[in-house]
């Protein structure tokens, strides 16, 4: 791709315009037809001679009546389309037909690695246009697609469906992996071959995307997805509101893919000369399987997307499962001592610290009343922050500022701020309701909650931002009062949230914040512009967690996933700490309950974690043995310069006759020329390692033959540190 601003426009006698959207290893080619319709004509490896892209479409010969629209770059409804549309509108005059023709395009370089292609399509009959955006990061093979819709008709236009992206693949045989979820069972993968017809994955939860279905997906071309070979696309609709992904194998056995906001109850009235920007579809492509695609996405996320993605994170002790709502100053100060003893960076005060008229002593009251509870915390938060500092700890705090309990002063004073159907009984999700973020006063309130906390306690080092409820009885008092359609609520809620986060980040650009959602409800690449990390699941049972972390790892780098050691399950402390170390490590236990051996093991394991965390956070991840397919699971993180690596191995099947130790695990990502020593770390006091730490291996050997971590029923969790021998 040559750089410099490249522009094109429709000519009167239509000459085909060919627009390649090229990453380092992939290309999507769009091309106009004789009447300026824009089509996707190619998806595959880039051609050596870009002038040959123009000839690609010549080899295809679909010639029935509907040929010429099925592969539209953005499929309009109401004229001659017979497939799932990307856009459906009702014009100002009530007419529902839409046609879109190529008007012009430009390619703008951003830096040596990235560029933005903008293509403008216009209806020949109506003053209505759609701009398609493709932002490309070449080296990472990552593309972000979104659209912007505008019109200058005589009155408002109703947008009935308004997708972010519309893609077309003519490779044969498509395999789709999607993720079914629920509380404490997030990211359960399922792969199916797509058959002719439409397969949709969607959500209607309002506040969060991932509780039941996930906006993350893997598309594999030609055969089921595999880790080290084959063409795959790993993607996500970056929107925490309602989403819809439509996969349609058409009558030509090609795949149409349309992703965007869920049109469900979301007709949007667009005023003349205003524009509607859709959320982004973000995806990574690879011709060498899901491993490479994940590494591309991880690198992109850390470098270009996640707040402070290449920075540091704070290890912590959280008091949620240690105390639930039952704590006071002294109990917390006792936990500070435990945190210091463990050697973590921060203490995180969870739910239950607020509410006076309706104290937050359980999850039925107090939410919305963000003043310290004077009984539990008579000396206030400031005092706790200072006390933590005395112990050498930073102090973080839990908030759920988008929500309200009906038993709260906020609800009593501001019923008009609450999403609820005024004429129906209220329906609660975890005993709470959602605030109407479409309302700018509510946005001010939510911003104020955060701002007040920081103004009063400038040393606060971290926020855990929770979101436990979905929207039931979707009805906005604000939209009603302003005479605006209720069908704007789902969209305005999310936009309202972004507006608050913009303000928070303008004033507090750096403070780390965790996205939490009573389970992995909110890990998306739009919100992660404002947050440093997210909470993948309340399920911290470590065997379950191996599977979940594995499945999240396709889409998110380890640095953004928060893993806490808790008392869930029956695994020993070593197993729990090892599993939680594959991400950002935290603890949610009462340290005084640990016996002497466990305490000393934990202290050593945290020291070890501090010594290798930069590899887990900033290095390259290689999934070696899939727990869904074997008795063990093995994952490797390799430093960028390939001089250091850390490998995590776990037993995931406890039947007597396991085959885990039969054979070595083959490594990946090392330098074949370098020599390495493999040493077991995180061994439990008094238990000798069975790994000979003095042996030297070349990277070549480790990546062809491998090494046996000796995972057995007695050694269920094995962490290996791999260092270059100079
Ligand atoms: C749900 C979160 O996932 C938990 O970690 C905890 O913060 C609770 N909310 C508090 O109510």
């Amino acid at each position: 791709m040559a750089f410099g601003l490249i522009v094109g426009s429709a000519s009167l006698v239509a000459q085909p315009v060919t627009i390649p959207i090229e990453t380092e290893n992939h290309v999507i080619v769009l091309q106009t037809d004789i009447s300026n319709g824009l089509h996707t004509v190619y998806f595959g490896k880039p051609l050596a001679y870009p002038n040959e892209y123009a000839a690609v479409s010549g080899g295809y010969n679909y010639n029935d009546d509907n040929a010429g629209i099925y592969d539209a770059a953005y499929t309009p409804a109401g004229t001659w389309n017979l497939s799932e549309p990307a856009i459906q509108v009702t014009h100002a005059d009530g007419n529902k037909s839409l046609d879109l023709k190529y008007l012009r395009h430009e390619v703008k370089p951003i830096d040596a690695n990235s560029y933005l292609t903008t293509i403008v399509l216009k209806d020949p009959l109506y003053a209505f246009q759609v701009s398609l955006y493709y932002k490309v990061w070449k080296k990472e093979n990552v593309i972000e697609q979104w659209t912007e819709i505008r019109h200058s008709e005589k009155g408002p236009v109703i947008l009935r469906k308004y997708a972010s992206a519309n893609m077309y693949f003519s490779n044969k045989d498509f395999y789709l992996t999607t993720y079914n979820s629920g509380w404490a069972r997030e990211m359960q993968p399922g792969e199916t071959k797509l058959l002719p017809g439409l397969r949709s994955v969607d959500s209607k939860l309002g506040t969060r995307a991932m509780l039941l279905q996930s906006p993350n997906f893997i598309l594999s071309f030609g055969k089921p997805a595999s880790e080290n070979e084959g063409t795959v696309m790993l993607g996500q609709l970056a929107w925490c509101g309602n989403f819809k992904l439509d996969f349609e194998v058409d009558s030509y056995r090609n795949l149409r893919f349309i992703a965007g906001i869920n049109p469900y109850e979301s007709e949007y009235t667009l005023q003349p000369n205003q524009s509607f920007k859709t959320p982004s579809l973000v995806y990574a492509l690879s011709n060498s399987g899901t491993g490479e695609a994940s590494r591309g996405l991880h690198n992109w996320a850390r470098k270009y997307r996640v707040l402070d993605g290449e920075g540091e994170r704070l290890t912590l002790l959280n008091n949620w499962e240690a105390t639930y709502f039952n704590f006071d100053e002294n109990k917390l100060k006792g936990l500070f001592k435990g945190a210091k003893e463990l050697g973590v960076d921060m203490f995180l005060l969870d739910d239950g610290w607020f509410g006076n008229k309706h104290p937050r002593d359980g999850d039925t009251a107090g939410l919305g009343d963000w003043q310290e509870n004077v009984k539990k915390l008579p000396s206030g938060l400031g005092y706790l922050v200072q006390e933590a500092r005395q112990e050498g700890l930073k102090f973080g705090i839990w908030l759920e500022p988008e929500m309200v309990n009906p038993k709260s002063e906020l609800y009593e004073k501001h019923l008009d701020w609450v999403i609820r159907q005024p004429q129906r009984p209220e329906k609660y999700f975890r005993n709470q309701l959602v605030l109407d973020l479409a309302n700018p006063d509510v946005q001010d309130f939510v911003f104020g909650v955060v701002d007040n906390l920081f103004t009063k306690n400038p040393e606060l080092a971290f926020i855990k931002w929770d979101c436990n409820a979905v929207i039931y009885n979707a009805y906005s008092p604000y939209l009603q009062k302003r005479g605006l359609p209720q069908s704007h609520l789902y969209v305005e809620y999310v936009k309202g949230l972004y507006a608050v986060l913009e303000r928070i980040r303008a004033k507090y650009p750096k403070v780390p914040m965790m996205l939490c959602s009573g389970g992995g409800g909110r890990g998306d690449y739009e919100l992660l512009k404002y947050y440093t990390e997210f909470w993948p699941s309340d399920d911290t049972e470590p065997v379950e967690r191996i599977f979940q972390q594995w499945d999240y790892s396709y889409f998110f780098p380890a640095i953004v996933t928060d893993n806490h050691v808790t008392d869930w399950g029956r695994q020993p402390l070593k197993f729990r700490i090892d599993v939680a170390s594959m991400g950002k490590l935290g603890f949610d236990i009462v340290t005084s309950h640990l016996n002497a051996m466990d305490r000393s093991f934990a202290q050593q394991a945290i020291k070890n974690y501090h010594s290798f965390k930069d590899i887990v956070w900033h290095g390259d991840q290689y999934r070696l043995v899939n727990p869904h397919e074997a008795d063990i699971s093995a994952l490797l993180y390799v430093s960028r310069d390939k001089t250091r690596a850390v490998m995590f191995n776990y037993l995931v099947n406890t039947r007597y006759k396991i085959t885990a130790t039969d054979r070595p695990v083959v490594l990946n990502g090392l330098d074949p020329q370098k020599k390495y020593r493999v040493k077991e770390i995180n061994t439990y006091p008094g238990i000798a390692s069975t790994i000979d730490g003095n042996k030297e291996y070349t990277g070549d050997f480790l990546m062809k033959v491998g090494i046996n971590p000796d995972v057995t029923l007695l050694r269920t969790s094995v962490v290996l540190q791999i260092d270059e021998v100079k």
Side-chain angles (χ1 to χ4, degrees), residues 183 318 320-321 324-325 350-352 360 363 367 398 400 430 432 464 466-468 514 516-520 535 537-538 564 588:
W183 178 79
N318 189 188
W320 175 239
E321 294 187 19
Y324 292 104
F325 297 96
D350 213 284
D351 196 354
R360 181 77 171 164
D363 62 14
L367 201 58
W398 179 95
E400 195 177 7
R430 205 198 185 204
Q432 64 198 50
K464 175 177 177 182
D466 214 340
C467 163
N468 286 296
M514 173 213 278
C516 179
S517 191
W535 181 237
S537 174
D538 278 348
H564 291 185
D588 204 338

Side-chain angles (χ1 to χ4, degrees), residues 358-584:
H358 303 285
R360 181 77 171 164
D361 292 334
D363 62 14
T364 53
L367 201 58
D369 300 346
W370 299 104
Q371 305 83 31
E372 293 100 320
N373 177 281
V374 290
K375 275 205 189 126
K376 287 183 195 170
L377 308 181
S379 320
L381 281 175
Y383 168 74
L384 286 177
V385 177
Q386 297 314 322
E387 287 294 302
R389 178 144 59 94
Q390 305 271 314
E391 301 289 354
L393 295 168
K394 294 184 190 293
F395 189 91
I397 198 153
W398 179 95
L399 284 177
E400 195 177 7
E402 300 159 68
M403 306 283 162
V404 63
N405 278 134
K407 227 172 152 192
S408 68
E409 288 184 81
L410 181 67
Y411 180 93
E412 288 161 6
K413 282 191 204 134
H414 282 295
L415 193 56
D416 58 327
W417 285 4
V418 181
I419 294 177
R420 58 196 279 281
Q421 287 284 353
Q423 290 164 334
R424 289 188 185 276
E426 288 175 352
K427 172 82 186 150
Y428 307 120
F429 194 108
R430 205 198 185 204
N431 306 307
Q432 64 198 50
L433 293 164
V434 180
L435 293 176
D436 183 6
L437 268 170
N439 183 342
D441 292 342
V442 175
Q443 294 170 22
D444 287 347
F445 168 79
V446 175
F447 171 75
V449 170
V450 178
D451 195 29
N452 285 340
L453 270 177
F454 282 124
T455 310
K456 286 197 199 138
N457 308 286
E459 277 184 53
L460 271 183
F462 186 85
I463 286 185
K464 175 177 177 182
W465 182 300
D466 214 340
C467 163
N468 286 296
V470 304
I471 294 180
Y472 284 147
N473 284 324
Y475 183 88
S476 156
Y478 171 78
L479 293 173
Q480 168 66 17
K481 203 162 137 205
R482 301 290 300 255
L484 294 166
Q486 285 297 329
S487 58
H488 285 202
L489 174 58
Y490 285 127
V491 170
E492 293 304 341
Y493 183 88
V494 179
K495 290 196 168 171
L497 177 62
Y498 293 158
V500 171
L501 292 167
E502 281 292 323
R503 284 169 71 186
I504 292 174
R505 284 310 179 193
K507 195 157 174 192
Y508 308 102
K510 288 241 159 82
V511 185
M513 295 207 296
M514 173 213 278
L515 264 167
C516 179
S517 191
R522 268 181 166 177
D524 75 67
Y525 280 124
E526 193 59 34
L527 284 181
L528 283 168
K529 284 178 176 170
Y530 307 100
Y531 294 81
T532 45
E533 54 219 83
F534 79 97
W535 181 237
S537 174
D538 278 348
D539 186 352
T540 47
E541 194 289 312
V543 178
E544 286 295 335
R545 198 64 187 208
I546 290 167
F547 288 82
Q548 283 191 353
Q549 289 174 203
W550 178 275
D551 290 304
Y552 274 114
S553 82
Y554 286 90
F555 305 95
F556 300 101
I559 193 169
V560 309
T561 54
D562 285 346
N563 303 333
H564 291 185
V565 175
T566 69
D567 288 328
W568 281 49
R570 296 199 197 124
Q571 297 296 331
L573 186 72
K574 167 174 165 52
F575 194 101
R576 288 180 272 152
I577 295 187
D578 290 352
V579 173
S581 296
M582 297 189 301
K584 198 206 87 168

Side-chain angles (χ1 to χ4, degrees), residues 179-183 185-187 203 205 207-216 236 239-241 243 517 519-524 534-536 552 556:
Y179 299 86
N180 185 269
S181 295
W183 178 79
R185 53 174 187 85
E186 289 79 0
M187 290 297 273
S203 77
L205 307 165
T207 51
R208 58 210 274 194
M210 279 154 62
L211 184 66
L212 305 176
Q213 308 288 339
S214 164
N216 297 297
Q236 175 196 86
W239 177 252
C240 70
F243 70 87
S517 191
R522 268 181 166 177
D524 75 67
F534 79 97
W535 181 237
Y552 274 114
F556 300 101

Side-chain angles (χ1 to χ4, degrees), residues 257-330:
F257 171 44
I258 292 167
I261 289 177
N262 195 341
Y264 167 77
E265 297 294 345
S266 292
E267 287 191 352
Y268 200 90
T269 306
L270 188 64
Q271 299 300 330
N273 303 315
Q274 295 197 344
S275 74
F276 185 93
K277 183 172 180 246
T278 64
S280 295
L281 175 75
V282 172
Y283 52 93
L285 300 164
S286 167
N287 293 318
S288 305
T290 45
E292 186 186 81
S294 291
R295 286 186 290 281
L297 203 51
H298 295 173
N299 288 339
W300 168 83
R302 286 182 296 214
K303 190 157 183 201
Y304 301 106
R305 196 58 164 222
V306 176
L307 186 79
D308 202 19
E310 294 186 307
E312 299 295 308
R313 296 293 184 270
L314 297 166
T315 54
L316 58 86
L317 178 76
N318 189 188
N319 71 310
W320 175 239
E321 294 187 19
T323 65
Y324 292 104
F325 297 96
N326 180 16
F327 57 82
D328 59 19
E329 274 173 8
N330 284 337

Side-chain angles (χ1 to χ4, degrees), residues 645-710:
V646 54
M647 179 181 175
F648 296 89
N649 309 273
Y650 308 101
L651 190 68
V652 292
N653 180 357
T654 50
R655 292 176 68 181
Y656 179 69
K657 201 74 193 136
I658 51 159
T659 54
T661 44
D662 280 8
R663 64 206 70 204
V665 174
V666 177
L667 274 57
N668 203 340
L670 301 173
D671 180 342
Q673 315 290 335
K674 287 194 195 319
K675 275 199 175 157
Y676 297 95
R677 207 170 276 143
V678 181
K679 180 179 138 207
E680 182 170 358
I681 55 169
N682 284 11
T683 50
Y684 197 74
I687 300 190
S689 172
T690 56
I691 306 290
D692 179 353
N694 294 317
K695 263 195 173 163
E696 290 179 11
Y697 307 87
T698 61
D700 179 62
F701 181 90
L702 291 171
M703 292 194 293
K704 285 178 180 157
V705 178
I707 185 163
N708 194 325
D710 196 25

